[in-house]
Amino acid sequence: MTAVDPARRATRTTCPYCGVGCGVLATSDDRSGAAISGDPEHPANFGRLCSKGSALGETLGLEGRLLHPMIRCRNGRMERVAWTDALDHVAQRFRHIIARDGPNAVAFYLSGQLLTEDYYVANKLMKGFIGSANVDTNSRLCMASSVAGHRRAFGADTVPGCYEDLDEADLLVLTGSNAAWCHPVLFRRMIANKQRRGARMVVIDPRRTDTAEDADLFLGLKPGTDTALFSGLLVHLAGTGVLDRNYIERHTSGFEEALARARSIAGSVATTARATGLSEPDVAAFFRMFAETPRVVTLYSQGVNQSAQGTDKVNAILNCHLATGRIGRPGASPFSLTGQPNAMGGREVGGLANQLAAHMDFTPADIDRVRRFWKAPRIATQEGLKAVQMFEAIARGEIKALWVTGTNPAVSLPDADAARAALAKLELFVVSENVRSNDTVNAGAQVLLPAQAWGEKSGTVTNSERRISRQRGFLAPPGETRPDWWIVSEVARRLGFAAAFDFASEADVFREHAALSAFENGGRRDFDIGALQTVSNEAFDAMPPVQWPLRQSEAQPQQRFFADGGFFAGDRKARFVAPEIPALRTETSAGRPLRLNTGRIRDQWHTMTRSGVSPRLGQHLAEPFVEVHPQDANRFGVVDGGFARIATDYGQCVLKVVVSERQQRGMLFAPIHWSGETASAARVGALVAPFTDPLSGQPENKATPASIAPHEFVFRGFVLSRVQPVLPPQVWWTRVAVSGGYGCLFAGNADPADWSCWMQSVADGDLAEYWDFGGGVYRAACLAEDRIETCLFVGPARDAGDWDVPKQLFAADALTAEQGRMLLSGKSADGLANAGPIVCACFGVGRSTICDAIAAGATSAAAIGARLKAGTNCGSCLPELKRLIAQTHVELDQNRLARATN
Ligand code: SF4
């Protein structure tokens, strides 16, 4: 494999979104777009990409990019400065605060989007040279409970299996994972196993997600009861004679205590059913399937990790695999699905406050070893503050300087309004970013440092199966943007550590990282890539994806761990962990009768700073919403398509209501992606309680007590604009990218006459207006040279007009005379169909078009694909197609019945 695919003349790189780590081929001559395809030779995806990866070419524009260093001046404005001035300023302020208040008065908050080389340099500076372990990362919000569970059970943060296990398993158990939306390429791989080999699938989730559409068994358990379910399973395995006694004896300790605790939590199928809210037959079926299937992989993700009992949940799962010896064998393993593209790289580096470096801890021996390797003058000797604690310390004024790199904590942390307010108290607040504006930058950043973005930067990332892949630049870095590792190194040099940060390239950093992993290792630590410590610049440039460990003494990487024991505790044995009796810290009350679950949607990523600029990705679910069970909707008076105010003890949001049987009674679901930049009242992180797991420090994002109430708006409408529109205050709005500009959906109580004033204030061209005074309708469009510059529709909430046809006309360079005449009718002059919300992002196929095809006889996803192409590229929409088929048939049957009865 080479850095460039010769046939396509495309650069080989890696997708910057989820932890699947798909290989990408990218070709681009300029910023207007890039040809993107999956790399057929990459072993994570073999050429496949999901909707997000496929749309990467739409995210490369420079609008909104931070291109130069900026410092906030005395007048409060950000002003461009030279790099040397910005770096001098950061170093001088850090030095002053450290000298005055000590090293624990400063902190770094990093990101699973950083490259391993960036992570390595930041971790080395803070822990080895500043002398504090206040380095944490947004990965704390993603997989910290898996790390803590692995370390308790295995003695190291080791993922035992690999993706090939998903091809070879006979049973795939997905718990707390909506893989169909969040890890789509891996999910298609599991579906391929089902189709090819007949593997069965069990999906365990309080919410019936798209992942459940393909399940042989769906277990809609009560929130927070995974520990009970897997405790019950352990008891069942012990009672049915499928334990691997030999494995338990030779390679583990603590089994009897763990089994005794499991018995006290869920001693039978009946008690498990009661504890989890599942039916006894369903529990029994799951236990039977697990017991009778040696090749079983249990995959878990944020539904398990993001919990105040997340580590215990992880260990309850690991216990079942250890007890049956189903670990590290082909088709048999527990498997943590990592959310972020390089959370694993951050873990390798030690970029979490409770790790030191290279899978070494804060033990005296490890501290001494790392100190000697780094020649560190002032190494941290104890754990630092984890993310939530870190922001609490900022709020208390204990941390006075913070450097945020490549993440948006003002949106993503729990109790996000409090986190945002804390940032304003900092004496020094530095942000390294790609964008000029986001909620974190706008929370009072004093220094902005322009970092290179995906497509420009170069280094490595590690995916969920421990595979290190190259991210390679294929675009010229714009403006004065620099790699993050360079920015941190320059500050380190100015702090007086030039010799230790004398890196000339990302390859230099990688070699040192690899050398540290092997330093005095001798097989005692799992993470060892010593074979790469002398890689040349040329070999690094051409480096193919490689799994770790890759020890110097071994020619081949190790694909799996622990089939024959060899754990990383001192006695080389695994530990069974007796989990605590599960109890939700988040009790509901009369005022907060529901539990709020938060999560992700198929076509957006994190706080949308990248995925939100793709028009294609904005079409699937354009508005922030809350999903409610029909009985709860009735009980609280909210209606499908209306608005609701969601309140918790921490904040409030106003969201669009989606009433759905897929949601469990007593639970609400809201996606996390919208920020103050993309919506007026949808910062869902602000609703989330800051309760954390006592071991992992990971916050409970899945069960905050909440209330819901209807929220009425008299008028609704939309704006399409070539420039980012600023809507009047008091208006509820959400913004998405559309082809040719920006689209805002809005709702409010302002009179249409006020909208006419607003339109006149922004119009820059010929303004055409339509009024229906009696009906409360106002529509207007501003055209310049037959192209729509701005278009506004507003009307009564029940009938505000659809934006599908105006959106298609807005995308055109020029309107025909007939199109111009028809524009304000919202109807098409030339047969442009109202396709409805987009289901297939790859081919832009809408729900209405798909439902019409189903009604006309397309009764399978394949038939829809043949007719409309929907679902034939990335496959991310296939579960939704299946759901639409089932739903449309029910509706058709109901209509037939109604006609027959009449
Ligand atoms: S599954 Fe999708 S988002 Fe994840 S790495 Fe692959 S293409 Fe990117």
Side-chain angles (χ1 to χ4, degrees), residues 326-342:
R326 295 171 184 172
I327 185 163
R329 300 181 195 278
S333 221
F335 205 112
S336 151
L337 288 173
T338 310
Q340 303 189 84
N342 198 30

Side-chain angles (χ1 to χ4, degrees), residues 374-599:
W374 278 343
K375 300 184 177 57
R378 199 176 187 185
I379 195 158
T381 53
Q382 56 189 21
E383 294 183 4
L385 296 175
K386 301 180 184 115
V388 173
Q389 297 171 310
M390 182 184 284
F391 278 75
E392 288 169 352
I394 294 169
R396 290 193 299 273
E398 292 163 16
I399 290 179
K400 296 183 169 60
L402 178 72
W403 188 348
V404 174
T405 305
T407 182
N408 200 355
V411 181
S412 53
L413 278 172
D415 199 5
D417 284 348
R420 185 171 60 178
L423 292 171
K425 295 184 176 178
L426 286 161
E427 201 175 314
L428 175 64
F429 179 16
V430 183
V431 179
S432 299
E433 250 305 339
N434 297 159
V435 294
R436 277 197 309 270
S437 175
N438 65 25
D439 289 31
T440 299
V441 168
N442 299 339
Q446 296 149 9
V447 184
L448 298 183
L449 303 173
Q452 290 175 359
W454 185 82
E456 301 153 9
K457 61 185 179 180
S458 173
T460 58
V461 291
T462 306
N463 72 3
S464 293
E465 63 162 353
R466 295 174 276 106
R467 191 176 296 279
I468 299 169
S469 296
R470 285 295 321 273
Q471 257 195 29
R472 296 182 176 92
F474 56 92
L475 291 166
E480 295 182 274
T481 57
R482 298 283 186 273
D484 283 296
W485 64 262
W486 180 89
I487 299 172
V488 177
S489 298
E490 286 297 315
V491 170
R493 294 155 76 105
R494 284 164 170 79
L495 286 170
F497 311 125
F501 291 85
D502 189 22
F503 301 114
S505 67
E506 58 275 8
D508 259 1
V509 183
F510 182 82
R511 283 187 284 268
E512 184 177 305
H513 166 59
L516 176 58
S517 76
F519 185 61
E520 298 177 2
N521 189 324
R524 282 185 293 275
R525 305 193 301 273
D526 60 340
F527 178 61
D528 185 341
I529 51 170
L532 298 170
Q533 62 185 301
T534 53
V535 66
S536 67
N537 286 352
E538 294 70 31
F540 181 74
D541 195 38
M543 194 168 90
V546 59
Q547 248 178 328
W548 64 258
L550 188 56
R551 300 185 181 94
Q552 217 170 2
S553 52
E554 292 164 10
Q556 288 298 319
Q558 184 178 327
Q559 202 176 14
R560 298 181 176 87
F561 280 91
F562 309 142
D564 299 312
F567 294 91
F568 293 96
D571 59 4
R572 307 297 274 179
K573 288 190 169 187
R575 299 278 179 278
F576 281 94
V577 175
E580 296 298 319
I581 308 291
L584 281 181
R585 263 177 85 187
T586 49
E587 288 307 323
T588 55
S589 63
R592 303 276 185 248
L594 303 167
R595 280 206 177 85
L596 174 68
N597 174 11
T598 68

Side-chain angles (χ1 to χ4, degrees), residues 455-753:
E456 301 153 9
K457 61 185 179 180
S458 173
T460 58
V461 291
T462 306
N463 72 3
S464 293
E465 63 162 353
R466 295 174 276 106
R467 191 176 296 279
I468 299 169
S469 296
R470 285 295 321 273
Q471 257 195 29
R472 296 182 176 92
F474 56 92
L475 291 166
E480 295 182 274
T481 57
R482 298 283 186 273
D484 283 296
W485 64 262
W486 180 89
I487 299 172
V488 177
S489 298
E490 286 297 315
V491 170
R493 294 155 76 105
R494 284 164 170 79
L495 286 170
F497 311 125
F501 291 85
D502 189 22
F503 301 114
S505 67
E506 58 275 8
D508 259 1
V509 183
F510 182 82
R511 283 187 284 268
E512 184 177 305
H513 166 59
L516 176 58
S517 76
F519 185 61
E520 298 177 2
N521 189 324
R524 282 185 293 275
R525 305 193 301 273
D526 60 340
F527 178 61
D528 185 341
I529 51 170
L532 298 170
Q533 62 185 301
T534 53
V535 66
S536 67
N537 286 352
E538 294 70 31
F540 181 74
D541 195 38
M543 194 168 90
V546 59
Q547 248 178 328
W548 64 258
L550 188 56
R551 300 185 181 94
Q552 217 170 2
S553 52
E554 292 164 10
Q556 288 298 319
Q558 184 178 327
Q559 202 176 14
R560 298 181 176 87
F561 280 91
F562 309 142
D564 299 312
F567 294 91
F568 293 96
D571 59 4
R572 307 297 274 179
K573 288 190 169 187
R575 299 278 179 278
F576 281 94
V577 175
E580 296 298 319
I581 308 291
L584 281 181
R585 263 177 85 187
T586 49
E587 288 307 323
T588 55
S589 63
R592 303 276 185 248
L594 303 167
R595 280 206 177 85
L596 174 68
N597 174 11
T598 68
R600 294 178 276 166
I601 60 174
R602 192 190 77 189
D603 286 358
Q604 293 297 348
W605 178 254
H606 280 197
T607 62
M608 294 198 211
T609 44
R610 173 176 297 282
S611 59
V613 303
S614 159
R616 204 190 318 176
L617 297 180
Q619 297 185 84
H620 181 226
L621 294 168
E623 295 172 285
F625 64 90
V626 58
E627 221 174 63
V628 192
H629 186 273
Q631 290 182 16
D632 287 330
N634 265 343
R635 180 176 164 206
F636 296 103
V638 298
V639 295
D640 192 60
F643 287 90
R645 181 173 295 277
I646 315 300
T648 70
D649 290 350
Y650 306 91
Q652 297 197 4
C653 286
V654 175
L655 305 171
K656 204 74 183 285
V657 174
V658 174
V659 176
S660 169
E661 296 272 2
R662 289 145 50 89
Q663 185 59 45
Q664 194 175 114
R665 268 194 75 191
M667 294 285 293
L668 304 171
F669 172 81
I672 58 169
H673 306 289
W674 281 269
S675 67
E677 291 276 295
T678 47
S680 58
R683 285 165 39 85
V684 165
L687 302 177
V688 175
F691 301 146
T692 56
D693 179 280
L695 272 169
S696 70
Q698 182 151 359
E700 169 68 77
N701 285 49
K702 300 290 185 186
T704 303
S707 59
I708 185 169
H711 193 89
E712 302 293 340
F713 292 111
V714 179
F715 297 103
R716 292 192 201 176
F718 64 84
V719 173
L720 297 163
S721 173
R722 301 289 165 195
V723 295
Q724 205 166 298
V726 179
L727 299 190
Q730 313 303 330
V731 170
W732 182 98
W733 59 266
T734 183
R735 195 185 73 224
V736 291
V738 298
S739 288
Y742 301 89
C744 279
L745 294 156
F746 67 79
N749 298 320
D751 194 79

Side-chain angles (χ1 to χ4, degrees), residues 14-24 44-45 48-54 56 179 181-187 339 341 602 605 876:
T14 309
C15 176
Y17 292 121
C18 83
V20 177
C22 295
V24 170
N45 57 317
R48 197 182 268 282
L49 294 177
C50 76
S51 50
K52 292 186 285 289
S54 302
L56 275 166
W181 278 18
C182 301
H183 298 93
V185 166
L186 275 192
F187 187 68
R602 192 190 77 189
W605 178 254
S876 302

Side-chain angles (χ1 to χ4, degrees), residues 94-140:
F94 262 101
R95 185 189 294 114
H96 171 73
I97 292 169
I98 293 164
R100 189 190 65 202
D101 300 311
N104 289 325
V106 302
F108 292 168
Y109 190 66
L110 310 178
S111 161
Q113 280 72 48
L114 293 178
L115 303 180
T116 300
E117 294 69 24
D118 305 327
Y119 248 125
Y120 178 83
V121 173
N123 191 54
K124 178 179 177 182
L125 174 59
M126 182 58 88
K127 290 185 183 147
F129 291 78
I130 291 176
S132 167
N134 284 343
V135 184
D136 217 46
T137 154
N138 61 9
S139 300
R140 179 74 56 197

